[in-house]
Amino acid sequence: MESTNQSLKPITTKINESGNLEIGGCDLVDLAEKYGTPLYVIDEATLRSICADYKHAFASYNKVNMMFASKSLCTMATSAILAQEGFGFDVVSSGEIYTVYKAGADMSKVLFNGNNKSIDELTLALEVGVGRISVDNFLELALLDQIAKSQNKIVDILLRITPGIECHTHEYIQTGHLDSKFGFDLTQIDEAVDLILNDYTNLKLHGLHAHIGSQIFETKVYHDEIEILVKELARLDEKFGLKLDEINIGGGLGVKYTEKDVPPSTFEIAQVIINSLNESIKKYGIEPPALFLEPGRSIISTSGTTLYTIGSSKQVPHGKKYVAIDGGMSDNPRPSMYQAEYSAEIANKKENAALQTVTIAGRFCESGDILIKDIELTEPLRGDILCVYNTGAYNYSMASNYNRVQKPQMVIVNNSKSDIIVSRETLEDLISHDIVPDRLK
Ligand code: LLP
């Protein structure tokens, strides 16, 4: 069965009666005119559809805590939708904790991750009642126990471990390989457990956590990861008499950025995960643990589209034709950071226009600011609206104000209605944190 992460475009995308592209029943040219560009557009139906896919896919395993990795997109409105869908959240900073808290998340389903959490962040996490903290290193164990003791609290934790699995994705988004900055090495787990049991008495260990990488298309890596986690649970039981009953396998499922990407469906990945879990439980003779998942990209990416307006074009003699848009690396840094590829179309009706191969250049002062290389489009002209698909994940969340350009606004569309969920920054916003000391005036 197919799932929404395998779709290149939001599931409501179509060409409407005016000949323009529409998403969520909203004409994209009208959206661009009404709200201005660049504009992030989130399709609510696509987001809810992938949530349903995930829930159906894992329904046969009865202890699942489905958490959305907020780092992929963290806004109040999208967090509220995910909370309504019954999802918890994987958060990595006070900013993410505060956003999901304000959006009404059930904080007991929230897990705090990160390799260098500050005292302030850990304190906030305890204050708002975050359900689990995934502890990354020895310093954090000591700090967290100290804070817990000072507040007279027992804190529920997982240990983040490095399972030693390499997945085939971009080097910068691999995380589970042996020489990684995240988590305890397998050889350090016993020392950490020993400390928790004997010294850090305000920490209660529930299980183990790993994450192997992002934009993953292989399923076997999940099998290998689960085997390692379950084997460790059994070993810790034997060595310490410790009955751990939770494993968190992280996120990572890929999406379809271009036609050549073929990610597995949530159903396929769930089958591999549940079968591997059952197999390992039997092999190592442990009780079925609760399963925590923390997908980000595969939940939010497909529901997001970015609209740009086309400006100047330049035909380099004997070279490429560059078509410039009014956004680029500050609203989507992924092509320049990871050589990420995207698909796009012209959203407005084009009659009898021929196809052209062009390169979409961003507006930022950097030659690496190229959004899409060599894409075939119906002859792009000044004023046309370019619609770039699959920008829901790691676009707004990684956006910057490079060149002092305001971040775009974000709208959500559904049933022919559109609502702003993140307003556009103003010029005043850009200078609102600047201070000129008196002596410089
Ligand atoms: N859990 C942990 C511990 C993670 O580090 C991550 C992502 C996730 C879950 C969610 O992974 P996902 O399901 O989204 O693949 N900025 C990069 C991606 C960085 C991913 C970092 N960790 C990009 O734009 O491709």
Side-chain angles (χ1 to χ4, degrees), residues 142-163:
L143 283 179
L144 189 58
D145 185 63
Q146 234 172 47
I147 301 169
K149 283 198 166 74
S150 72
Q151 296 192 9
N152 217 1
K153 279 185 181 156
I154 301 292
V155 181
D156 298 306
I157 65 165
L158 303 181
L159 282 188
R160 170 80 183 261
I161 66 158
T162 311

Side-chain angles (χ1 to χ4, degrees), residues 414-430:
N414 197 24
N415 291 330
S416 310
K417 277 179 44 193
S418 61
D419 295 287
I420 296 176
I421 58 172
V422 179
S423 62
R424 189 179 302 282
E425 288 174 341
T426 62
L427 291 176
E428 270 313 306
D429 288 332
L430 290 178

Side-chain angles (χ1 to χ4, degrees), residues 69 71 90 173 211 214 252 294-297 334 338 394 398:
K71 60 181 81 67
D90 146 30
I173 51 180
H211 167 78
S214 202
E294 40 187 32
R297 187 191 316 266
R334 301 192 69 258
Y338 317 116
Y394 304 111
M398 292 171 68

Side-chain angles (χ1 to χ4, degrees), residues 54 67-72 90 92 111 113-114 134 160 169-170 172-175 182 209-216 222 248-254 257 293-300 332-334 337-338 340 342 393-395 397-398:
Y54 260 110
M67 297 176 297
F68 170 68
S70 287
K71 60 181 81 67
S72 57
D90 146 30
V92 294
L111 178 138
N113 262 317
S134 179
R160 170 80 183 261
T169 186
H170 194 281
Y172 292 176
I173 51 180
Q174 281 180 358
T175 34
F182 296 104
H209 171 207
H211 167 78
I212 42 185
S214 202
Q215 184 61 354
I216 295 175
Y222 287 98
N248 178 349
I249 63 168
L253 176 61
Y257 285 110
L293 299 154
E294 40 187 32
R297 187 191 316 266
S298 55
I299 291 186
I300 198 69
N332 183 359
R334 301 192 69 258
M337 280 183 85
Y338 317 116
Y342 284 87
Y394 304 111
N395 275 230
S397 68
M398 292 171 68

